Amino acid sequence: MEVGQGMLAVGGENLELTATLGSCVGFCLHDPEKRMGGMIHIFQCVDDGPLGPAAVIAELERLVNALMGHGVGRSGLIAKLCGGARTLPFGRDHGSAMSAACQDYLQSEGIPVRVADLGGKVARRVRFFPGTGLLKVSKTTDPTARAHPASIKGNAPDLF
């Protein structure tokens, strides 16, 4: 099942969740005892102002609440993170900001991180198996396969 931007999915055995991540972060949680887990595709920017990472944290809580709705408690969760690349050589580094917000959240909630494949300059294709917690990550091999700055005119917004 493809997990697009802003989407989440939870499940157990026989489910494979996939996503393509550039600056977005794939935030995966797994409970090995319950053999359930889920993924959310974070693309919310971290606000420069007083809200800070509030939008990212709200998205993370959506996944935790969805898992709790399936009988999974917070205490058994294990996290796996990937993405957060700086895919454009200009503008704000949204991926790094989202990655930091996710890691801060996990630390404050006491959820251990087993895998963190974050940053860099290339996109990733991820496959997550919620029933086993297995996460497979493949990176693009061409770091130039992204928008070229010359193709953006004037006061264009940051793209991510």
Side-chain angles (χ1 to χ4, degrees):
M1 168 183 208
E2 184 71 22
V3 181
Q5 290 182 342
M7 291 176 58
L8 71 81
V10 298
E13 300 295 324
N14 303 319
L15 180 63
E16 177 181 343
L17 304 175
T18 59
T20 301
L21 307 167
S23 61
C24 296
V25 175
F27 185 87
C28 303
L29 294 174
H30 169 68
D31 183 331
E33 185 177 309
K34 300 272 186 184
R35 298 189 62 77
M36 288 205 61
M39 175 198 291
I40 189 160
H41 187 144
I42 301 291
F43 80 107
Q44 295 290 337
C45 292
V46 174
D47 187 83
D48 283 337
L51 293 178
V56 173
I57 292 168
E59 291 298 295
L60 303 177
E61 283 292 324
R62 276 183 54 217
L63 177 58
V64 171
N65 289 337
L67 287 167
M68 290 174 71
H70 287 305
V72 174
R74 285 180 184 258
S75 63
L77 292 174
I78 295 168
K80 297 182 178 188
L81 308 169
C82 49
R86 185 175 186 132
T87 55
L88 298 174
F90 56 91
R92 197 166 156 228
D93 187 357
H94 295 286
S96 178
M98 285 185 282
S99 296
C102 291
Q103 290 173 313
D104 290 347
Y105 170 83
L106 291 167
Q107 184 175 3
S108 70
E109 294 296 317
I111 299 172
V113 178
R114 288 281 163 82
V115 174
D117 183 11
L118 299 166
K121 295 181 180 183
V122 296
R124 294 163 173 86
R125 180 74 178 153
V126 299
R127 296 169 56 205
F128 179 61
F129 301 85
T132 63
L134 177 65
L135 176 68
K136 294 182 177 186
V137 180
S138 58
K139 295 180 183 175
T140 61
T141 56
D142 180 8
T144 64
R146 57 181 178 239
H148 190 276
S151 67
I152 298 177
K153 309 272 188 231
N155 266 341
D158 289 345
L159 302 175
F160 57 95

